[in-house]
């Protein structure tokens, strides 16, 4: 049996979430897709998918195999495109992106991107969970912070300042912290997916914080600080509206940590498809025009 067909059926079943959706996508009957995936599992002597009445779920072995299958299928598509000398990128591009950054800056650029490249589809995986590019099949990840994985390469597309803010009503009730250590006595809104955990970074080091509210959503941090729940810490652009209206005030100015880079990451030893290069160029250009994503200490001081 054609192993390439089996691999394609498996990949589309994973990406569409069901055998029936994969069958419609490929123009095959649903029983055929199910049979082809079962044949692939039989060939590998490994269970790749857990089947329930509601959905398909990858086994750990299936996750690893899917990443390799996706790489192979993408390489074939890219090679064929090169031989046909196609000028425009085509296919499905998977990009992982943090929640707040996606909603504030990436999603507004998507209509123009898709309009510019009509042969391309975008799977934008929005979330603050760490996505392993090597194992999970995404070609690109937009990440906040410095690169720590030697298997990846990075292109910087912006940088921003992390700040502490609080509402005027909160500061009137509890006072204004003057030094980072003063935060120990304040109600801090803890974002549980922050890479440094409950440690907030400042120019001279880190300070442990705590508070009565812990959330796993940047939007929840934004809403809570505007409601006067406590002191928040995060990208300046997350609080820009509240600062502009006067509802929020900056605190601990002069103690800010170094600027935080925004980077697009990709796997170093993997062929980068034309569609991924097109996305990187497009987003880098778009971000270069956004002042909030191109902070400098000189502009902040001014």
């Amino acid at each position: 049996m054609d192993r390439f067909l089996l691999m394609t059926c498996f990949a589309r079943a994973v990406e569409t979430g069901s055998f029936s959706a994969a069958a419609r996508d490929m123009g095959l009957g649903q029983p055929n897709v199910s049979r082809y995936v079962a044949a692939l599992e039989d060939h590998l002597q490994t269970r790749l998918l857990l089947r329930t009445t509601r959905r398909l779920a990858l086994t750990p072995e299936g996750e690893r195999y899917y990443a390799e299958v996706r790489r192979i299928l993408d390489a074939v598509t890219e090679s064929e495109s090169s031989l046909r000398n196609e000028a425009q990128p085509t296919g499905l591009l998977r990009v992982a992106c943090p929640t707040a950054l996606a909603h504030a800056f990436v999603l507004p650029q998507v209509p123009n991107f898709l309009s510019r490249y009509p042969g391309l589809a975008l799977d934008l995986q929005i979330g603050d969970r760490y996505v392993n590019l090597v194992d999970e099949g995404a070609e690109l990840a937009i990440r906040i912070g410095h690169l720590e994985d030697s298997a990846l390469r990075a292109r910087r597309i912006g940088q921003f300042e992390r700040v502490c803010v609080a509402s005027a009503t909160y500061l009137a009730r509890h006072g204004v912290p003057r030094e980072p250590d003063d935060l120990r006595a304040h109600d801090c809104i803890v974002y549980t997916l922050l890479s440094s955990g409950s440690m907030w970074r400042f120019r001279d080091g880190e300070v442990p914080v705590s508070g009565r509210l812990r959330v796993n959503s940047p939007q929840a941090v934004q809403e809570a600080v505007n409601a006067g729940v406590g002191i928040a810490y995060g990208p300046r652009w997350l609080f820009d509206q509240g600062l502009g209206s006067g509802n929020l005030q900056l605190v601990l100015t002069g103690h800010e940590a170094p600027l935080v880079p925004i980077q697009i990451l990709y796997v170093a030893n993997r062929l980068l498809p034309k569609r991924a290069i097109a996305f990187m160029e497009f987003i880098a250009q778009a971000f270069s025009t956004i002042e909030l994503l191109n902070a400098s200490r000189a502009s902040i001081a001014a």
Side-chain angles (χ1 to χ4, degrees), residues 24 87 122 205 233 236 258:
R24 288 193 299 270
L122 180 64
Y233 173 81
R236 184 175 182 133

Side-chain angles (χ1 to χ4, degrees), residues 8 10-16 25 66-67 69-75 77 90-97 113 120-126 131 133 135-142 264-266 270 272-273 275-277 279-280:
T8 303
F10 168 66
R12 294 308 295 144
V14 171
E15 291 157 3
T16 60
D25 183 69
Y66 169 72
V69 164
R70 191 68 262 168
R71 180 181 61 79
I72 292 167
L73 296 178
D74 287 343
T77 300
T90 59
L92 176 65
L93 174 67
R94 297 164 190 80
V95 181
C97 186
F113 177 71
L120 197 152
L122 180 64
D123 179 357
L124 191 60
Q125 300 170 4
I126 299 174
V131 174
L133 288 179
D135 296 334
E136 296 191 43
E139 285 113 336
L140 301 173
I142 301 177
I264 296 186
L265 306 185
Y266 55 95
R270 186 176 294 173
L272 199 59
R275 58 184 173 271
I277 296 172
F279 182 85
M280 281 201 293

Side-chain angles (χ1 to χ4, degrees), residues 47-92:
R47 176 63 64 87
L48 301 174
L49 291 169
L50 298 174
R51 299 146 172 89
T52 70
T53 55
R54 294 188 176 184
R55 65 186 183 93
L56 300 175
L58 283 166
T59 65
E61 294 78 13
E63 289 182 1
R64 293 195 297 272
Y65 187 68
Y66 169 72
E68 289 303 312
V69 164
R70 191 68 262 168
R71 180 181 61 79
I72 292 167
L73 296 178
D74 287 343
V76 170
T77 300
E78 190 69 13
S79 298
E80 291 177 347
S81 296
S82 298
L83 287 174
R84 288 195 297 263
N85 211 14
E86 292 181 354
Q88 288 287 328
T90 59
L92 176 65

Side-chain angles (χ1 to χ4, degrees), residues 209-275:
V209 299
S210 61
R212 291 179 295 162
L213 179 63
R214 297 169 59 87
V215 295
N216 65 353
S217 158
Q219 183 180 356
V221 173
Q222 181 189 63
E223 293 174 359
V225 71
N226 273 293
V229 172
I231 297 177
Y233 173 81
R236 184 175 182 133
W237 44 263
L238 185 64
F239 311 116
D240 193 53
Q241 185 174 355
L243 290 168
S245 69
N247 184 52
L248 297 182
Q249 298 177 19
L250 292 170
V251 296
L252 299 175
T253 55
H255 296 277
E256 296 90 351
L259 297 172
V260 181
I262 305 170
Q263 306 187 94
I264 296 186
L265 306 185
Y266 55 95
V267 179
N269 62 357
R270 186 176 294 173
L271 175 68
L272 199 59
K274 194 177 297 184
R275 58 184 173 271

Side-chain angles (χ1 to χ4, degrees), residues 95-132:
V95 181
C97 186
T99 304
L101 195 70
H103 287 285
F105 301 112
V106 178
L107 282 170
Q109 304 297 332
V110 167
N112 286 338
F113 177 71
L114 294 178
S115 176
R116 182 177 298 184
Y117 300 106
L120 197 152
L122 180 64
D123 179 357
L124 191 60
Q125 300 170 4
I126 299 174
D128 296 319
R129 178 183 69 86
Y130 177 86
V131 174
N132 188 322

